Amino acid sequence: MSPRRTVAEARQTRAGIVRHGVDVASVEGLEGLTIGRLAADLGMSKSGVLGHFGDKETLQLAVVELAADEFWRDVWEPVGAVAAGLPRLRAVAGSWLRYLTSDRLPGGCFFMAAGPEFDDRPGPVRDAIAGAADRWHRELLHQARLGTVTEPEQLVFELTGVMLALHAAHRLRRDPAAATNAARAVARLLDRP
Amino acid sequence: MSPRRTVAEARQTRAGIVRHGVDVASVEGLEGLTIGRLAADLGMSKSGVLGHFGDKETLQLAVVELAADEFWRDVWEPVGAVAAGLPRLRAVAGSWLRYLTSDRLPGGCFFMAAGPEFDDRPGPVRDAIAGAADRWHRELLHQARLGTVTEPEQLVFELTGVMLALHAAHRLRRDPAAATNAARAVARLLDRP
DNA sequence: CCTACCGATCGGTAGG
DNA sequence: CCTACCGATCGGTAGG
């Protein structure tokens, strides 16, 4: 409660702000994430929140970075031990499907909301979001090539489309068949290389 | 310039506000669309803008309605004469592809941005967006069934995924191969019923 | 990490 | 369709 905290305490406070920021942004959007909202939710003053970042853009960048780390941990790390190439591609598709239907974040996949929100807003935040999307795209491409797929770029494009369609059908149209449609589409893409 | 306009003039003013609102919302988002921004762009006062709608939500609903009309006109109407079933499905896929790469709206497809933005915001605006998505989904399904496709729901799901992947690859990652990848994916879906 | 501010902008209203 | 407002909230700063 005292205004002077240790460095470790301050680090923890900052981490808590960013963690909650990912949740809020997944619902309200990354621009709709306001400092006042975070402060109220966390029982802090606005300047107490802002002091950890300096300005809103730096806060947004921290939120994008944590969201990317968490996506990697939830989707890629569980399948890191699976044999590289097609087996790992199948495994990551499976954990990606589970992630999208698990409602792990209150507003669904952070990046499927932040992408369309920021694709027309040039700047460091857009660059960070696009950079994360690029890294996953290249990683998928790498596994597809190791699997000696005939058209790796085509496969990764279509696989990404399945995940986007799942997100849209599940969260906007609330289509109960979304998950099975997506699983079938993945099988058609990856079970006949 | 006089404060009293004819009914026809007022209707035109209103239509101009909504038309510009679609453009602004395609870039800034439907929540980022502000009355002050519209007023400044159109050389009007805020209350002059708001007077046509009463509140922001009614303005947002008018914007969603016009965006849906324009999407229908740009994507469906040009292929309305094509034979129903698979031929029309192929034709609408083609005009949908062209629409997404034409940069017809300054911020890309309105609904691919508004969907993720509002899927977690219950209310009439979300309902209007989901309703439009539902209508197109059912129309695609109808044509697929007329084409005696073996799994119509699966086909429409995957076709939608291709369009979402095109939008993401084109606008966020700026992948120059996006359009050809999408065209190839559509061909694989529709040229072997 | 707080209180106490700042100017700008938000959606919206009153009244003409 | 305007001017002239309203309270609330925005991002951000000063100073402790």
Side-chain angles (χ1 to χ4, degrees):
Chain A
M1 294 300 157
S2 89
R4 282 280 172 269
R5 311 288 175 97
T6 67
V7 175
E9 281 171 334
R11 212 192 305 263
Q12 253 189 3
T13 302
R14 190 196 136 110
I17 296 168
V18 180
R19 174 77 276 290
H20 188 60
V22 174
D23 278 355
V24 173
S26 86
V27 174
E28 311 284 347
L30 198 45
E31 199 60 41
L33 175 70
T34 69
I35 295 152
R37 160 73 188 272
L38 280 176
D41 287 359
L42 298 169
M44 296 174 65
S45 67
K46 284 193 338 179
S47 77
V49 169
L50 198 57
H52 287 276
F53 307 95
D55 56 24
K56 182 174 178 176
E57 186 174 275
T58 308
L59 164 64
Q60 289 174 319
L61 289 170
V63 166
V64 172
E65 192 187 357
L66 178 61
D69 287 350
E70 292 185 341
F71 182 82
W72 186 268
R73 174 169 49 76
D74 291 342
V75 174
W76 285 90
E77 275 189 9
V79 304
V82 177
L86 261 178
R88 190 179 301 176
L89 210 51
R90 287 197 191 96
V92 77
S95 72
W96 199 355
L97 287 179
R98 279 189 298 278
Y99 175 78
L100 289 175
T101 46
S102 72
D103 300 310
R104 211 173 175 323
L105 289 177
C109 178
F110 174 88
F111 287 92
M112 290 196 181
E117 184 185 3
F118 270 83
D119 58 3
D120 300 305
R121 299 176 180 247
V125 179
R126 196 215 116 97
D127 295 344
I129 295 165
D134 249 328
R135 284 199 301 281
W136 297 319
H137 187 261
R138 283 199 306 270
E139 182 62 36
L140 290 167
L141 218 47
H142 181 57
Q143 299 302 326
R145 284 179 181 136
L146 288 177
T148 62
V149 169
T150 48
E151 293 179 299
E153 322 245 4
Q154 190 65 30
L155 177 68
V156 171
F157 179 91
E158 296 186 25
L159 187 62
T160 306
V162 172
M163 301 301 166
L164 288 162
L166 169 57
H167 186 262
H170 177 54
R171 297 203 65 92
L172 180 63
R173 293 185 23 255
R174 294 189 177 133
D175 188 336
T180 49
N181 285 335
R184 211 166 300 174
V186 167
R188 282 178 38 170
L189 284 174
L190 295 178
D191 291 346
R192 44 128 180 89
Chain B
M1 292 296 159
S2 89
R4 282 277 171 271
R5 312 288 175 97
T6 66
V7 175
E9 281 171 335
R11 213 192 305 263
Q12 254 189 4
T13 303
R14 190 195 136 110
I17 296 167
V18 179
R19 174 80 275 290
H20 187 61
V22 173
D23 278 357
V24 173
S26 87
V27 175
E28 310 285 348
L30 198 45
E31 198 61 39
L33 174 71
T34 68
I35 294 152
R37 160 73 187 271
L38 280 176
D41 287 359
L42 298 169
M44 295 174 65
S45 66
K46 286 194 334 178
S47 77
V49 170
L50 198 57
H52 287 277
F53 307 95
D55 56 24
K56 182 175 178 177
E57 186 174 276
T58 307
L59 164 64
Q60 289 174 319
L61 289 169
V63 167
V64 172
E65 191 187 358
L66 179 62
D69 288 349
E70 292 184 343
F71 181 84
W72 187 267
R73 174 169 49 74
D74 292 342
V75 174
W76 286 90
E77 275 189 7
V79 304
V82 178
L86 262 178
R88 190 178 300 174
L89 211 50
R90 287 195 191 95
V92 76
S95 73
W96 199 355
L97 287 179
R98 279 189 298 277
Y99 175 78
L100 289 175
T101 47
S102 71
D103 301 309
R104 209 172 177 322
L105 288 177
C109 179
F110 174 88
F111 287 93
M112 290 195 182
E117 185 185 2
F118 271 83
D119 60 1
D120 300 305
R121 298 176 180 247
V125 180
R126 196 215 116 97
D127 295 345
I129 295 165
D134 249 330
R135 283 198 302 281
W136 297 319
H137 187 261
R138 282 198 306 269
E139 183 61 38
L140 290 167
L141 218 47
H142 181 58
Q143 299 301 327
R145 285 180 180 136
L146 288 177
T148 61
V149 170
T150 47
E151 293 180 301
E153 323 245 4
Q154 190 66 29
L155 177 68
V156 171
F157 179 91
E158 296 185 24
L159 188 62
T160 307
V162 172
M163 302 300 166
L164 289 162
L166 169 57
H167 186 261
H170 178 55
R171 298 203 65 93
L172 179 62
R173 292 185 24 254
R174 293 188 179 134
D175 188 338
T180 48
N181 285 335
R184 209 166 301 175
V186 166
R188 282 177 40 169
L189 283 174
L190 295 178
D191 290 347
R192 45 126 182 87

